[in-house]
Amino acid sequence: MSKNLTHIDAEGDARMVDVGAKAETPRKAVAGGLITMSAEALEAIKAGDTPKGDVLGTARIAGIMAAKRTHELIPLCHPLGLDAVNVDLAFEESGVRVNATASLTGKTGVEMEALVAASTALLTVYDMAKALDKGMVISDVRLLEKQGGKSGHWKADSV
């Protein structure tokens, strides 16, 4: 087995990385994505006229809650005491863009927490508005930026 695979042991089995000896450092990650939809669904969300109520507010809370439970969803993630999670939703011409930021001072990064927050917020928008448009498309979910840890600062191209 390659020694570059941190989550694989010498026998090739999945394992959780031991971060016990690592120093705590400030860490931050930003992830985002987009959900596109019909003009009618978008207008209903903007007007607050959807069958399930406040779409953006509910999606924001769902994203925050999901980030805090990432370790329950992604098998090899460490449970983390997050310092902050922010989920921002913004209207675009054909849908809603989500950006989620997770941060802490700790021994491991928060990229997965930011990605889970963004993904869950997008899925919640879909759930809240699916009665208006079942053909909505979630796309472009990705890490946009990370800071801290051994690999330092990284930012996606064309953010």
Side-chain angles (χ1 to χ4, degrees), residues 14-53:
R15 69 176 177 97
M16 188 177 210
V17 173
D18 182 354
V19 297
K22 291 175 76 175
E24 290 194 352
T25 60
R27 295 157 184 270
K28 176 180 163 184
V30 181
L34 176 69
I35 183 166
T36 55
M37 63 193 67
S38 68
E40 295 78 20
L42 186 59
E43 287 308 312
I45 293 171
K46 286 180 181 178
D49 187 26
T50 62
K52 290 189 174 184

PDB file of all heavy atoms in Angstrom, residues 14-53:
ATOM      1  N   ALA A  14      -9.273   0.586   5.860  1.00  0.00           N
ATOM      2  CA  ALA A  14      -9.577   1.976   6.209  1.00  0.00           C
ATOM      3  C   ALA A  14      -9.338   2.189   7.700  1.00  0.00           C
ATOM      4  O   ALA A  14      -9.597   1.311   8.521  1.00  0.00           O
ATOM      5  CB  ALA A  14     -11.023   2.297   5.856  1.00  0.00           C
ATOM      6  N   ARG A  15      -8.835   3.378   8.027  1.00  0.00           N
ATOM      7  CA  ARG A  15      -8.594   3.717   9.431  1.00  0.00           C
ATOM      8  C   ARG A  15      -8.788   5.204   9.638  1.00  0.00           C
ATOM      9  O   ARG A  15      -8.683   5.999   8.704  1.00  0.00           O
ATOM     10  CB  ARG A  15      -7.187   3.316   9.852  1.00  0.00           C
ATOM     11  CG  ARG A  15      -6.118   4.191   9.186  1.00  0.00           C
ATOM     12  CD  ARG A  15      -4.731   3.853   9.692  1.00  0.00           C
ATOM     13  NE  ARG A  15      -3.726   4.629   9.007  1.00  0.00           N
ATOM     14  CZ  ARG A  15      -3.189   5.754   9.485  1.00  0.00           C
ATOM     15  NH1 ARG A  15      -3.551   6.221  10.649  1.00  0.00           N
ATOM     16  NH2 ARG A  15      -2.277   6.417   8.794  1.00  0.00           N
ATOM     17  N   MET A  16      -9.074   5.575  10.854  1.00  0.00           N
ATOM     18  CA  MET A  16      -9.154   6.977  11.224  1.00  0.00           C
ATOM     19  C   MET A  16      -7.736   7.439  11.563  1.00  0.00           C
ATOM     20  O   MET A  16      -7.007   6.758  12.291  1.00  0.00           O
ATOM     21  CB  MET A  16     -10.077   7.147  12.434  1.00  0.00           C
ATOM     22  CG  MET A  16     -10.379   8.557  12.793  1.00  0.00           C
ATOM     23  SD  MET A  16     -11.550   8.546  14.181  1.00  0.00           S
ATOM     24  CE  MET A  16     -12.419  10.044  13.871  1.00  0.00           C
ATOM     25  N   VAL A  17      -7.328   8.555  11.038  1.00  0.00           N
ATOM     26  CA  VAL A  17      -5.985   9.084  11.274  1.00  0.00           C
ATOM     27  C   VAL A  17      -5.849   9.511  12.732  1.00  0.00           C
ATOM     28  O   VAL A  17      -6.749  10.140  13.294  1.00  0.00           O
ATOM     29  CB  VAL A  17      -5.702  10.281  10.336  1.00  0.00           C
ATOM     30  CG1 VAL A  17      -4.384  10.954  10.673  1.00  0.00           C
ATOM     31  CG2 VAL A  17      -5.712   9.834   8.900  1.00  0.00           C
ATOM     32  N   ASP A  18      -4.721   9.180  13.339  1.00  0.00           N
ATOM     33  CA  ASP A  18      -4.436   9.586  14.720  1.00  0.00           C
ATOM     34  C   ASP A  18      -3.900  11.012  14.691  1.00  0.00           C
ATOM     35  O   ASP A  18      -2.808  11.268  14.176  1.00  0.00           O
ATOM     36  CB  ASP A  18      -3.413   8.634  15.342  1.00  0.00           C
ATOM     37  CG  ASP A  18      -3.102   8.967  16.797  1.00  0.00           C
ATOM     38  OD1 ASP A  18      -3.584  10.004  17.311  1.00  0.00           O
ATOM     39  OD2 ASP A  18      -2.371   8.178  17.411  1.00  0.00           O
ATOM     40  N   VAL A  19      -4.664  11.950  15.238  1.00  0.00           N
ATOM     41  CA  VAL A  19      -4.239  13.351  15.268  1.00  0.00           C
ATOM     42  C   VAL A  19      -3.785  13.768  16.661  1.00  0.00           C
ATOM     43  O   VAL A  19      -3.558  14.945  16.919  1.00  0.00           O
ATOM     44  CB  VAL A  19      -5.360  14.297  14.756  1.00  0.00           C
ATOM     45  CG1 VAL A  19      -5.684  14.009  13.303  1.00  0.00           C
ATOM     46  CG2 VAL A  19      -6.595  14.209  15.631  1.00  0.00           C
ATOM     47  N   GLY A  20      -3.638  12.791  17.566  1.00  0.00           N
ATOM     48  CA  GLY A  20      -3.316  13.083  18.956  1.00  0.00           C
ATOM     49  C   GLY A  20      -2.066  13.913  19.168  1.00  0.00           C
ATOM     50  O   GLY A  20      -2.023  14.757  20.052  1.00  0.00           O
ATOM     51  N   ALA A  21      -1.058  13.706  18.384  1.00  0.00           N
ATOM     52  CA  ALA A  21       0.210  14.416  18.575  1.00  0.00           C
ATOM     53  C   ALA A  21       0.283  15.738  17.813  1.00  0.00           C
ATOM     54  O   ALA A  21       1.252  16.480  17.952  1.00  0.00           O
ATOM     55  CB  ALA A  21       1.374  13.515  18.162  1.00  0.00           C
ATOM     56  N   LYS A  22      -0.723  16.021  17.004  1.00  0.00           N
ATOM     57  CA  LYS A  22      -0.688  17.256  16.210  1.00  0.00           C
ATOM     58  C   LYS A  22      -0.992  18.476  17.085  1.00  0.00           C
ATOM     59  O   LYS A  22      -1.771  18.398  18.025  1.00  0.00           O
ATOM     60  CB  LYS A  22      -1.715  17.185  15.073  1.00  0.00           C
ATOM     61  CG  LYS A  22      -1.351  16.168  14.001  1.00  0.00           C
ATOM     62  CD  LYS A  22      -2.429  16.028  12.963  1.00  0.00           C
ATOM     63  CE  LYS A  22      -2.445  17.188  12.005  1.00  0.00           C
ATOM     64  NZ  LYS A  22      -3.415  17.021  10.915  1.00  0.00           N
ATOM     65  N   ALA A  23      -0.386  19.587  16.730  1.00  0.00           N
ATOM     66  CA  ALA A  23      -0.644  20.843  17.435  1.00  0.00           C
ATOM     67  C   ALA A  23      -1.975  21.434  16.989  1.00  0.00           C
ATOM     68  O   ALA A  23      -2.382  21.272  15.839  1.00  0.00           O
ATOM     69  CB  ALA A  23       0.487  21.836  17.137  1.00  0.00           C
ATOM     70  N   GLU A  24      -2.640  22.108  17.910  1.00  0.00           N
ATOM     71  CA  GLU A  24      -3.867  22.805  17.553  1.00  0.00           C
ATOM     72  C   GLU A  24      -3.510  24.116  16.864  1.00  0.00           C
ATOM     73  O   GLU A  24      -2.667  24.866  17.346  1.00  0.00           O
ATOM     74  CB  GLU A  24      -4.717  23.071  18.795  1.00  0.00           C
ATOM     75  CG  GLU A  24      -5.314  21.818  19.362  1.00  0.00           C
ATOM     76  CD  GLU A  24      -6.418  22.089  20.375  1.00  0.00           C
ATOM     77  OE1 GLU A  24      -6.633  23.250  20.759  1.00  0.00           O
ATOM     78  OE2 GLU A  24      -7.073  21.118  20.774  1.00  0.00           O
ATOM     79  N   THR A  25      -4.129  24.346  15.722  1.00  0.00           N
ATOM     80  CA  THR A  25      -3.912  25.574  14.969  1.00  0.00           C
ATOM     81  C   THR A  25      -5.253  26.084  14.464  1.00  0.00           C
ATOM     82  O   THR A  25      -6.201  25.314  14.334  1.00  0.00           O
ATOM     83  CB  THR A  25      -2.975  25.344  13.760  1.00  0.00           C
ATOM     84  OG1 THR A  25      -3.565  24.370  12.903  1.00  0.00           O
ATOM     85  CG2 THR A  25      -1.600  24.859  14.204  1.00  0.00           C
ATOM     86  N   PRO A  26      -5.353  27.379  14.152  1.00  0.00           N
ATOM     87  CA  PRO A  26      -6.597  27.896  13.571  1.00  0.00           C
ATOM     88  C   PRO A  26      -6.815  27.293  12.187  1.00  0.00           C
ATOM     89  O   PRO A  26      -5.872  27.214  11.386  1.00  0.00           O
ATOM     90  CB  PRO A  26      -6.354  29.404  13.468  1.00  0.00           C
ATOM     91  CG  PRO A  26      -5.173  29.688  14.316  1.00  0.00           C
ATOM     92  CD  PRO A  26      -4.371  28.428  14.378  1.00  0.00           C
ATOM     93  N   ARG A  27      -8.039  26.873  11.918  1.00  0.00           N
ATOM     94  CA  ARG A  27      -8.380  26.265  10.635  1.00  0.00           C
ATOM     95  C   ARG A  27      -9.728  26.799  10.175  1.00  0.00           C
ATOM     96  O   ARG A  27     -10.612  27.045  10.987  1.00  0.00           O
ATOM     97  CB  ARG A  27      -8.430  24.747  10.757  1.00  0.00           C
ATOM     98  CG  ARG A  27      -7.045  24.165  11.083  1.00  0.00           C
ATOM     99  CD  ARG A  27      -7.183  22.807  11.729  1.00  0.00           C
ATOM    100  NE  ARG A  27      -5.904  22.261  12.127  1.00  0.00           N
ATOM    101  CZ  ARG A  27      -5.129  21.513  11.371  1.00  0.00           C
ATOM    102  NH1 ARG A  27      -5.457  21.240  10.128  1.00  0.00           N
ATOM    103  NH2 ARG A  27      -3.999  21.035  11.836  1.00  0.00           N
ATOM    104  N   LYS A  28      -9.840  26.936   8.862  1.00  0.00           N
ATOM    105  CA  LYS A  28     -11.075  27.469   8.282  1.00  0.00           C
ATOM    106  C   LYS A  28     -11.240  26.873   6.901  1.00  0.00           C
ATOM    107  O   LYS A  28     -10.258  26.662   6.188  1.00  0.00           O
ATOM    108  CB  LYS A  28     -10.981  28.992   8.188  1.00  0.00           C
ATOM    109  CG  LYS A  28     -12.141  29.679   7.531  1.00  0.00           C
ATOM    110  CD  LYS A  28     -11.903  31.184   7.520  1.00  0.00           C
ATOM    111  CE  LYS A  28     -12.790  31.883   6.556  1.00  0.00           C
ATOM    112  NZ  LYS A  28     -12.501  33.314   6.477  1.00  0.00           N
ATOM    113  N   ALA A  29     -12.489  26.603   6.535  1.00  0.00           N
ATOM    114  CA  ALA A  29     -12.768  26.113   5.185  1.00  0.00           C
ATOM    115  C   ALA A  29     -14.059  26.746   4.692  1.00  0.00           C
ATOM    116  O   ALA A  29     -14.989  26.984   5.464  1.00  0.00           O
ATOM    117  CB  ALA A  29     -12.892  24.594   5.176  1.00  0.00           C
ATOM    118  N   VAL A  30     -14.092  26.998   3.385  1.00  0.00           N
ATOM    119  CA  VAL A  30     -15.277  27.543   2.727  1.00  0.00           C
ATOM    120  C   VAL A  30     -15.638  26.612   1.583  1.00  0.00           C
ATOM    121  O   VAL A  30     -14.777  26.233   0.786  1.00  0.00           O
ATOM    122  CB  VAL A  30     -15.018  28.965   2.166  1.00  0.00           C
ATOM    123  CG1 VAL A  30     -16.279  29.528   1.515  1.00  0.00           C
ATOM    124  CG2 VAL A  30     -14.498  29.899   3.260  1.00  0.00           C
ATOM    125  N   ALA A  31     -16.906  26.229   1.519  1.00  0.00           N
ATOM    126  CA  ALA A  31     -17.398  25.387   0.432  1.00  0.00           C
ATOM    127  C   ALA A  31     -18.658  26.025  -0.126  1.00  0.00           C
ATOM    128  O   ALA A  31     -19.338  26.795   0.557  1.00  0.00           O
ATOM    129  CB  ALA A  31     -17.701  23.975   0.928  1.00  0.00           C
ATOM    130  N   GLY A  32     -18.980  25.697  -1.358  1.00  0.00           N
ATOM    131  CA  GLY A  32     -20.167  26.296  -1.956  1.00  0.00           C
ATOM    132  C   GLY A  32     -20.786  25.409  -3.002  1.00  0.00           C
ATOM    133  O   GLY A  32     -20.261  24.354  -3.357  1.00  0.00           O
ATOM    134  N   GLY A  33     -21.924  25.859  -3.480  1.00  0.00           N
ATOM    135  CA  GLY A  33     -22.642  25.165  -4.531  1.00  0.00           C
ATOM    136  C   GLY A  33     -23.811  25.995  -4.999  1.00  0.00           C
ATOM    137  O   GLY A  33     -24.084  27.086  -4.475  1.00  0.00           O
ATOM    138  N   LEU A  34     -24.523  25.467  -5.981  1.00  0.00           N
ATOM    139  CA  LEU A  34     -25.615  26.191  -6.624  1.00  0.00           C
ATOM    140  C   LEU A  34     -26.785  25.250  -6.839  1.00  0.00           C
ATOM    141  O   LEU A  34     -26.589  24.083  -7.164  1.00  0.00           O
ATOM    142  CB  LEU A  34     -25.128  26.732  -7.973  1.00  0.00           C
ATOM    143  CG  LEU A  34     -26.134  27.447  -8.867  1.00  0.00           C
ATOM    144  CD1 LEU A  34     -26.559  28.776  -8.259  1.00  0.00           C
ATOM    145  CD2 LEU A  34     -25.514  27.667 -10.252  1.00  0.00           C
ATOM    146  N   ILE A  35     -27.992  25.765  -6.661  1.00  0.00           N
ATOM    147  CA  ILE A  35     -29.184  25.035  -7.068  1.00  0.00           C
ATOM    148  C   ILE A  35     -29.939  25.917  -8.057  1.00  0.00           C
ATOM    149  O   ILE A  35     -30.254  27.071  -7.766  1.00  0.00           O
ATOM    150  CB  ILE A  35     -30.067  24.603  -5.880  1.00  0.00           C
ATOM    151  CG1 ILE A  35     -31.265  23.769  -6.366  1.00  0.00           C
ATOM    152  CG2 ILE A  35     -30.482  25.766  -5.005  1.00  0.00           C
ATOM    153  CD1 ILE A  35     -31.999  23.020  -5.269  1.00  0.00           C
ATOM    154  N   THR A  36     -30.139  25.380  -9.253  1.00  0.00           N
ATOM    155  CA  THR A  36     -30.881  26.126 -10.277  1.00  0.00           C
ATOM    156  C   THR A  36     -32.294  25.575 -10.348  1.00  0.00           C
ATOM    157  O   THR A  36     -32.548  24.411 -10.034  1.00  0.00           O
ATOM    158  CB  THR A  36     -30.193  26.024 -11.651  1.00  0.00           C
ATOM    159  OG1 THR A  36     -30.020  24.665 -12.000  1.00  0.00           O
ATOM    160  CG2 THR A  36     -28.849  26.729 -11.640  1.00  0.00           C
ATOM    161  N   MET A  37     -33.198  26.448 -10.780  1.00  0.00           N
ATOM    162  CA  MET A  37     -34.617  26.100 -10.770  1.00  0.00           C
ATOM    163  C   MET A  37     -35.387  26.964 -11.742  1.00  0.00           C
ATOM    164  O   MET A  37     -34.844  27.917 -12.320  1.00  0.00           O
ATOM    165  CB  MET A  37     -35.168  26.273  -9.353  1.00  0.00           C
ATOM    166  CG  MET A  37     -35.104  27.729  -8.864  1.00  0.00           C
ATOM    167  SD  MET A  37     -35.380  27.932  -7.098  1.00  0.00           S
ATOM    168  CE  MET A  37     -33.953  27.155  -6.390  1.00  0.00           C
ATOM    169  N   SER A  38     -36.667  26.664 -11.874  1.00  0.00           N
ATOM    170  CA  SER A  38     -37.532  27.453 -12.748  1.00  0.00           C
ATOM    171  C   SER A  38     -37.688  28.865 -12.195  1.00  0.00           C
ATOM    172  O   SER A  38     -37.534  29.102 -10.986  1.00  0.00           O
ATOM    173  CB  SER A  38     -38.916  26.798 -12.849  1.00  0.00           C
ATOM    174  OG  SER A  38     -39.584  26.881 -11.593  1.00  0.00           O
ATOM    175  N   ALA A  39     -38.009  29.776 -13.086  1.00  0.00           N
ATOM    176  CA  ALA A  39     -38.228  31.166 -12.680  1.00  0.00           C
ATOM    177  C   ALA A  39     -39.378  31.266 -11.682  1.00  0.00           C
ATOM    178  O   ALA A  39     -39.321  32.060 -10.734  1.00  0.00           O
ATOM    179  CB  ALA A  39     -38.508  32.030 -13.905  1.00  0.00           C
ATOM    180  N   GLU A  40     -40.401  30.435 -11.863  1.00  0.00           N
ATOM    181  CA  GLU A  40     -41.561  30.459 -10.960  1.00  0.00           C
ATOM    182  C   GLU A  40     -41.162  30.037  -9.547  1.00  0.00           C
ATOM    183  O   GLU A  40     -41.577  30.664  -8.559  1.00  0.00           O
ATOM    184  CB  GLU A  40     -42.676  29.543 -11.489  1.00  0.00           C
ATOM    185  CG  GLU A  40     -43.280  29.973 -12.812  1.00  0.00           C
ATOM    186  CD  GLU A  40     -42.413  29.625 -14.031  1.00  0.00           C
ATOM    187  OE1 GLU A  40     -41.536  28.739 -13.945  1.00  0.00           O
ATOM    188  OE2 GLU A  40     -42.608  30.278 -15.080  1.00  0.00           O
ATOM    189  N   ALA A  41     -40.377  28.979  -9.442  1.00  0.00           N
ATOM    190  CA  ALA A  41     -39.937  28.517  -8.124  1.00  0.00           C
ATOM    191  C   ALA A  41     -39.050  29.559  -7.461  1.00  0.00           C
ATOM    192  O   ALA A  41     -39.198  29.846  -6.266  1.00  0.00           O
ATOM    193  CB  ALA A  41     -39.205  27.189  -8.244  1.00  0.00           C
ATOM    194  N   LEU A  42     -38.145  30.142  -8.226  1.00  0.00           N
ATOM    195  CA  LEU A  42     -37.256  31.160  -7.684  1.00  0.00           C
ATOM    196  C   LEU A  42     -38.044  32.366  -7.182  1.00  0.00           C
ATOM    197  O   LEU A  42     -37.787  32.876  -6.084  1.00  0.00           O
ATOM    198  CB  LEU A  42     -36.228  31.579  -8.747  1.00  0.00           C
ATOM    199  CG  LEU A  42     -35.132  32.528  -8.284  1.00  0.00           C
ATOM    200  CD1 LEU A  42     -34.311  31.928  -7.147  1.00  0.00           C
ATOM    201  CD2 LEU A  42     -34.229  32.878  -9.461  1.00  0.00           C
ATOM    202  N   GLU A  43     -39.011  32.804  -7.949  1.00  0.00           N
ATOM    203  CA  GLU A  43     -39.829  33.947  -7.526  1.00  0.00           C
ATOM    204  C   GLU A  43     -40.630  33.628  -6.262  1.00  0.00           C
ATOM    205  O   GLU A  43     -40.779  34.479  -5.381  1.00  0.00           O
ATOM    206  CB  GLU A  43     -40.751  34.403  -8.655  1.00  0.00           C
ATOM    207  CG  GLU A  43     -40.021  35.131  -9.768  1.00  0.00           C
ATOM    208  CD  GLU A  43     -39.149  36.291  -9.266  1.00  0.00           C
ATOM    209  OE1 GLU A  43     -39.635  37.119  -8.454  1.00  0.00           O
ATOM    210  OE2 GLU A  43     -37.973  36.366  -9.675  1.00  0.00           O
ATOM    211  N   ALA A  44     -41.136  32.407  -6.161  1.00  0.00           N
ATOM    212  CA  ALA A  44     -41.888  32.007  -4.968  1.00  0.00           C
ATOM    213  C   ALA A  44     -40.991  32.010  -3.730  1.00  0.00           C
ATOM    214  O   ALA A  44     -41.411  32.459  -2.655  1.00  0.00           O
ATOM    215  CB  ALA A  44     -42.518  30.637  -5.172  1.00  0.00           C
ATOM    216  N   ILE A  45     -39.755  31.538  -3.888  1.00  0.00           N
ATOM    217  CA  ILE A  45     -38.817  31.554  -2.763  1.00  0.00           C
ATOM    218  C   ILE A  45     -38.511  32.988  -2.366  1.00  0.00           C
ATOM    219  O   ILE A  45     -38.530  33.334  -1.184  1.00  0.00           O
ATOM    220  CB  ILE A  45     -37.528  30.783  -3.106  1.00  0.00           C
ATOM    221  CG1 ILE A  45     -37.835  29.287  -3.264  1.00  0.00           C
ATOM    222  CG2 ILE A  45     -36.463  31.010  -2.035  1.00  0.00           C
ATOM    223  CD1 ILE A  45     -36.676  28.480  -3.817  1.00  0.00           C
ATOM    224  N   LYS A  46     -38.248  33.831  -3.348  1.00  0.00           N
ATOM    225  CA  LYS A  46     -37.960  35.246  -3.067  1.00  0.00           C
ATOM    226  C   LYS A  46     -39.121  35.921  -2.347  1.00  0.00           C
ATOM    227  O   LYS A  46     -38.919  36.714  -1.427  1.00  0.00           O
ATOM    228  CB  LYS A  46     -37.669  36.004  -4.363  1.00  0.00           C
ATOM    229  CG  LYS A  46     -36.328  35.728  -4.966  1.00  0.00           C
ATOM    230  CD  LYS A  46     -36.159  36.545  -6.242  1.00  0.00           C
ATOM    231  CE  LYS A  46     -34.838  36.295  -6.920  1.00  0.00           C
ATOM    232  NZ  LYS A  46     -34.680  37.053  -8.181  1.00  0.00           N
ATOM    233  N   ALA A  47     -40.341  35.593  -2.749  1.00  0.00           N
ATOM    234  CA  ALA A  47     -41.539  36.215  -2.180  1.00  0.00           C
ATOM    235  C   ALA A  47     -41.954  35.583  -0.855  1.00  0.00           C
ATOM    236  O   ALA A  47     -42.858  36.084  -0.184  1.00  0.00           O
ATOM    237  CB  ALA A  47     -42.690  36.116  -3.181  1.00  0.00           C
ATOM    238  N   GLY A  48     -41.314  34.484  -0.495  1.00  0.00           N
ATOM    239  CA  GLY A  48     -41.705  33.789   0.727  1.00  0.00           C
ATOM    240  C   GLY A  48     -43.030  33.071   0.576  1.00  0.00           C
ATOM    241  O   GLY A  48     -43.758  32.885   1.549  1.00  0.00           O
ATOM    242  N   ASP A  49     -43.345  32.683  -0.656  1.00  0.00           N
ATOM    243  CA  ASP A  49     -44.639  32.076  -0.965  1.00  0.00           C
ATOM    244  C   ASP A  49     -44.469  30.622  -1.403  1.00  0.00           C
ATOM    245  O   ASP A  49     -44.809  30.252  -2.515  1.00  0.00           O
ATOM    246  CB  ASP A  49     -45.327  32.910  -2.064  1.00  0.00           C
ATOM    247  CG  ASP A  49     -46.744  32.458  -2.327  1.00  0.00           C
ATOM    248  OD1 ASP A  49     -47.362  31.886  -1.413  1.00  0.00           O
ATOM    249  OD2 ASP A  49     -47.218  32.664  -3.462  1.00  0.00           O
ATOM    250  N   THR A  50     -43.913  29.813  -0.514  1.00  0.00           N
ATOM    251  CA  THR A  50     -43.725  28.394  -0.807  1.00  0.00           C
ATOM    252  C   THR A  50     -44.552  27.567   0.173  1.00  0.00           C
ATOM    253  O   THR A  50     -44.823  28.017   1.291  1.00  0.00           O
ATOM    254  CB  THR A  50     -42.242  27.994  -0.704  1.00  0.00           C
ATOM    255  OG1 THR A  50     -41.814  28.228   0.640  1.00  0.00           O
ATOM    256  CG2 THR A  50     -41.383  28.782  -1.670  1.00  0.00           C
ATOM    257  N   PRO A  51     -44.936  26.366  -0.215  1.00  0.00           N
ATOM    258  CA  PRO A  51     -45.780  25.543   0.655  1.00  0.00           C
ATOM    259  C   PRO A  51     -45.170  25.223   2.021  1.00  0.00           C
ATOM    260  O   PRO A  51     -45.889  25.059   2.994  1.00  0.00           O
ATOM    261  CB  PRO A  51     -45.975  24.253  -0.154  1.00  0.00           C
ATOM    262  CG  PRO A  51     -45.711  24.623  -1.564  1.00  0.00           C
ATOM    263  CD  PRO A  51     -44.718  25.742  -1.523  1.00  0.00           C
ATOM    264  N   LYS A  52     -43.835  25.154   2.099  1.00  0.00           N
ATOM    265  CA  LYS A  52     -43.190  24.758   3.354  1.00  0.00           C
ATOM    266  C   LYS A  52     -42.645  25.925   4.169  1.00  0.00           C
ATOM    267  O   LYS A  52     -42.028  25.714   5.213  1.00  0.00           O
ATOM    268  CB  LYS A  52     -42.070  23.754   3.076  1.00  0.00           C
ATOM    269  CG  LYS A  52     -42.583  22.399   2.627  1.00  0.00           C
ATOM    270  CD  LYS A  52     -41.460  21.392   2.591  1.00  0.00           C
ATOM    271  CE  LYS A  52     -41.974  20.004   2.296  1.00  0.00           C
ATOM    272  NZ  LYS A  52     -40.892  19.010   2.345  1.00  0.00           N
ATOM    273  N   GLY A  53     -42.820  27.152   3.706  1.00  0.00           N
ATOM    274  CA  GLY A  53     -42.384  28.292   4.510  1.00  0.00           C
ATOM    275  C   GLY A  53     -41.055  28.880   4.080  1.00  0.00           C
ATOM    276  O   GLY A  53     -40.710  28.886   2.903  1.00  0.00           O
TER     277      GLY A  53
END
